[in-house]
Every structure is written in C-alpha cells, then in structure tokens.
Amino acid sequence: MKGCFKSKPKTPADIVRQTRELLVHLASNADRESKREEKIATLCKLIVELKSVLYGNSDCEPVADACAKLTQEFFKENTLRLLIICLAKLNLEARKDATQVVANLQRQRVHSRLIASDYLEANLDLIDLLISGYEDQDIALHYSVMLRECIRHQSVARYVLESEHMKKFFYYIQLPNFDVAADATATFKELLTRHKSTVAEFLTKNFDWFFAEYNSKLLESTNYITRRQAIKLLGEILLDRSNSAVMVYYVSSKDNLRILMNLLRESSKSIQIDAFHVFKLFVANQKKPPEVISILVANRNKLLRFFGDFKIDRDDDQFEADKAQVIREIAAL
C-alpha cells in the first residue's frame, strides 16, 4: 500500500500541473476543434487520476501524503477556478469526476489547515459562479454539489447568507425542473441549518424580509412539495435552541399564526403534522401578544374539535403528550 504511487511516473503535483495546463488551453478556446477534442480526452483522464489519488481505487486506499501534496498544488494557483469555468466543456462522466474531486478537496487538511477554506475566502466570486449554475440545467447539479461542499466552511456560508443570493433561492426552489428545484432546496436547508451561530445571526438581522419571503413564496406556494418541505424546514429552524430568540419573535405574529392554521387544514397528513409542531410553539408561548390570543380564542371550538380528532398513523407518546398540552392551553384561554 505504501508503494501505491511509486510505480507511477507522475507525482500528485505533476497531475495537478498537467491538469491546470490543459484547463488553461480549454478556457482560452485557442485550439482547433480536433486539437481541442484531443486535449479534452487527455484532461478527462487526468481528472480520473486526481480522483484516484484522493479517493483511492480498487487496488489501494488513498495515501495521506499524496492527498496533501495534491491539495497544496491544487490551491497554489487557479486550478479550482479553471475547473469550474471549464466544467460545461467536459463530458458527463468527467463532470461527475471533477465534482467529486472538488468536493473531496474541501475536506483535505494540510498541516492541520483546511486550505480550501483559505482559498475560497480570497476568491468568493467563485461562490457567485457556483450559485449562478442553478440557471443552467446542464451544470446545475454539478455546481450545486460543489457549492454545498464549499458551504461546509463557515466563512463561505456567511458570505452566501449575507449576500443577495439568499433572495434568489426562493426562485430557484420553485424552478420547473424538479431535480434542480429539489437540489436548490437541499442547499437552502444546508445554509439554514449547518452553522448554528451564523444562521441565528442572519435570521435575527434579516427577520422581516426573510420570513415575509418564506411565508409567501414557500409556505403559501401552490406547489404541494414546496409547502411540505418548507413547513418541515421551518420546524427544524424554530425548534433549534440556537434560534430561540427568532422563534419567540416568529410565534408572536398573528399573520404567521394564520398561515400555520391554514396549513393544519391541509389534506396532507405530513403537512398537518409538521404544521402542528410549529403551531404548538404559538400555543406554548407564555408571552402571547393580545392579537394572537384573540385569534386562538375566536377559533377555540374549531381548534379543540380538530385536535380531538387529530391522529397519526403510528404510536407516538410524545406527539400525544404535545397534543394534550395544546388542548389544555387552548381550553384555558
């Protein structure tokens, strides 16, 4: 195993340098068609070699020293930028391999440092480029995998959260291409759940516009899947202890309460259950504003009847306890 790479004449750094040289040619569009196809074929083979170093292959496991040297060389110059720019010119298999290479490099440590994070902090325009990929179906799913791996770095996630890109996600999530929309939803969720302190800071600063968009574009969407995913994510966000201040603010709004009560009336049991887990926060709030109390009192009989008949398909003691508590609280108003 130690000699896995000794039989190969090229070092990991050599593979990166050769890859970079071909990417430079490809990006320049200087070659004739036949010459370009030849270079793309060579480039595809080199990307497979990069992947083999980072992931290992059927013959051997990845070697830490080789991975470190490859990573150092990769981020020494603009190889990542070139690979992202040229991705659309590669064939499908090469795009998949390149995506896996970029994803793996985000986790590689060199002298205990994630140098990919340092590189991206100095080249945040690459994140703009990856996000714009959602507008091109051919590369959207490859760029988005790279993007989610980059978001593992807190500085990158903060950049996206604080940028105008966050507003675009409300559009991307509703794109007509199901796979791209689902992928955008996965990235949106990652942004709003991975780095707790950064997310809490973002939601606190941007509460008004963010939840206005979240409510109108997602929770009140005409698309069932969008509503279902949105109410589930909202529950995760509000029930996270890091977002306790945001949660109290959210459940103090009569408009938010009305939206949740409408979601409780959905025909979908999944949406009803996820809506219940958010609705119970409004009821449990010990400092309910008068307008929230008024709505609950005005709808008390309907709510009590609804929860009296509200069942789920499996035995769940916690759900039954929560429901009983909600009934008691509403009855006591």
Side-chain angles (χ1 to χ4, degrees):
M1 192 176 294
K2 285 183 180 177
C4 186
F5 295 101
K6 286 183 181 177
S7 60
K8 296 183 180 180
K10 287 182 287 193
T11 67
D14 289 335
I15 302 170
V16 175
R17 282 192 287 270
Q18 289 176 23
T19 301
R20 185 161 57 235
E21 287 166 13
L22 287 172
L23 286 168
V24 168
H25 278 291
L26 195 56
S28 68
N29 290 314
D31 295 317
R32 294 193 310 275
E33 184 69 25
S34 59
K35 196 82 171 171
R36 191 161 61 103
E37 289 303 316
E38 187 181 315
K39 285 182 176 174
I40 288 175
T42 305
L43 178 59
C44 293
K45 290 176 185 174
L46 286 167
I47 292 171
V48 170
E49 290 184 48
L50 291 173
K51 181 181 166 185
S52 294
V53 174
L54 293 169
Y55 287 93
N57 53 42
S58 57
D59 297 324
C60 61
E61 295 289 319
V63 176
D65 183 58
C67 291
K69 284 174 178 169
L70 187 153
T71 304
Q72 272 185 304
E73 185 63 36
F74 198 92
F75 290 109
K76 192 184 292 181
E77 294 187 43
N78 59 350
T79 312
L80 178 61
R81 179 179 298 278
L82 288 165
L83 191 55
I84 290 171
I85 290 168
C86 294
L87 194 73
K89 299 179 182 182
L90 304 178
N91 63 43
L92 182 59
E93 282 307 308
R95 289 181 198 176
K96 290 178 182 176
D97 289 336
T99 300
Q100 288 181 285
V101 167
V102 172
N104 185 292
L105 286 167
Q106 304 313 309
R107 308 171 190 223
Q108 291 289 341
R109 293 182 180 273
V110 178
H111 305 308
S112 302
R113 286 189 65 79
L114 286 167
I115 62 173
S117 179
D118 297 337
Y119 177 86
L120 287 169
E121 277 190 60
N123 295 273
L124 286 166
D125 63 300
L126 289 179
I127 303 303
D128 303 334
L129 189 57
L130 291 176
I131 293 172
S132 72
Y134 280 117
E135 294 167 31
D136 182 346
Q137 290 184 22
D138 289 339
I139 56 170
L141 299 181
H142 304 296
Y143 271 18
S144 62
V145 171
M146 294 183 186
L147 176 62
R148 278 196 297 281
E149 289 297 328
C150 292
I151 289 168
R152 294 171 66 87
H153 309 304
Q154 191 158 4
S155 58
V156 174
R158 182 181 291 110
Y159 170 73
V160 179
L161 287 167
E162 292 176 353
S163 72
E164 288 297 304
H165 293 306
M166 281 306 289
K167 293 178 181 175
K168 295 178 187 174
F169 274 97
F170 291 103
Y171 163 70
Y172 296 149
I173 285 169
Q174 300 182 84
L175 285 168
N177 183 305
F178 176 80
D179 291 334
V180 176
D183 204 281
T185 301
T187 304
F188 188 66
K189 179 180 177 180
E190 185 79 357
L191 283 164
L192 292 167
T193 55
R194 175 171 280 277
H195 302 287
K196 307 294 188 186
S197 60
T198 302
V199 171
E201 184 182 337
F202 163 75
L203 292 174
T204 301
K205 283 183 185 174
N206 299 276
F207 185 95
D208 291 339
W209 79 259
F210 178 82
F211 282 108
E213 289 285 284
Y214 199 101
N215 289 347
S216 64
K217 300 276 175 63
L218 306 184
L219 292 179
E220 296 182 307
S221 168
T222 55
N223 185 296
Y224 160 74
I225 293 172
T226 300
R227 293 197 306 279
R228 179 175 174 178
Q229 291 174 330
I231 186 59
K232 188 173 187 65
L233 177 57
L234 179 65
E236 287 183 42
I237 292 169
L238 297 182
L239 287 162
D240 192 303
R241 287 182 181 178
S242 302
N243 299 324
S244 57
V246 172
M247 181 270 287
V248 170
Y249 202 28
Y250 188 89
V251 302
S252 297
S253 161
K254 68 180 191 301
D255 294 328
N256 294 343
L257 175 58
R258 286 197 183 102
I259 291 169
L260 264 296
M261 288 171 66
N262 285 332
L263 289 169
L264 283 172
R265 296 165 60 194
E266 287 262 359
S267 57
S268 161
K269 183 65 78 173
S270 296
I271 289 180
Q272 284 185 323
I273 292 169
D274 286 324
F276 168 72
H277 288 305
V278 177
F279 176 79
K280 70 187 181 186
L281 300 174
F282 286 87
V283 178
N285 182 12
Q286 296 303 303
K287 296 181 179 179
K288 298 180 193 67
E291 58 267 31
V292 167
I293 294 173
S294 296
I295 292 172
L296 292 173
V297 169
N299 292 275
R300 174 162 45 200
N301 292 337
K302 289 179 184 176
L303 287 166
L304 291 175
R305 278 198 303 275
F306 171 80
F307 287 119
D309 297 331
F310 191 36
K311 302 282 193 299
I312 58 174
D313 299 332
R314 64 187 189 280
D315 291 334
D316 187 329
D317 293 341
Q318 186 59 54
F319 171 79
E320 292 299 331
D322 288 347
K323 189 178 76 167
Q325 182 62 31
V326 165
I327 291 172
R328 281 195 299 272
E329 292 274 358
I330 293 173
L333 287 171

